[in-house]
């Protein structure tokens, strides 16, 4: 079954549901899957990510090969 057929089948199954608790579980599952990991980071972690992006924008980077040489 291709992806479109699977989505249609799933939509039909959801439309047939009468259990509000199960509908809520499906909604939460779909919503959780769509979240970006960034939203789950702490403010400090987000600042570190932003700092890293700024470093890259300034050209402050090293190659993977150079980093591996520095690791024990």
């Amino acid at each position: 079954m291709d992806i479109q057929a699977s989505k249609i089948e799933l939509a039909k199954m959801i439309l047939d549901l009468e259990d509000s608790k199960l509908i809520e579980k499906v909604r939460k599952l779909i919503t959780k899957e769509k979240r970006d990991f960034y939203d789950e980071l702490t403010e400090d972690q987000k600042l570190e990510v932003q700092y890293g992006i700024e470093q890259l924008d300034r050209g402050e980077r090293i190659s993977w090969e150079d980093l591996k040489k520095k690791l024990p």
Side-chain angles (χ1 to χ4, degrees):
M1 184 179 297
D2 71 0
I3 190 74
Q4 291 303 326
S6 294
K7 290 180 352 183
I8 290 169
E9 184 65 27
L10 181 58
K12 287 178 184 177
M13 290 169 36
I14 292 170
L15 289 171
D16 288 339
L17 287 175
E18 297 296 332
D19 183 343
S20 62
K21 289 181 182 179
L22 184 54
I23 292 169
E24 182 61 19
K25 285 181 182 180
V26 171
R27 188 191 67 74
K28 285 181 180 179
L29 176 65
I30 292 170
T31 302
K32 181 180 178 187
E33 289 297 316
K34 288 185 177 183
R35 282 191 217 147
D36 188 334
F37 81 93
Y38 187 81
D39 296 332
E40 305 295 321
L41 297 177
T42 66
E43 288 305 312
D44 286 342
Q45 291 169 323
K46 289 178 183 178
L47 288 173
E48 290 291 328
V49 169
Q50 185 59 42
Y51 179 67
I53 292 169
E54 290 168 3
Q55 286 178 308
L56 290 171
D57 289 343
R58 291 190 303 266
E60 298 173 11
R61 59 186 77 158
I62 63 171
S63 71
W64 173 242
E65 293 303 318
D66 288 343
L67 177 63
K68 288 192 303 186
K69 290 175 188 173
K70 291 182 178 186
L71 297 174

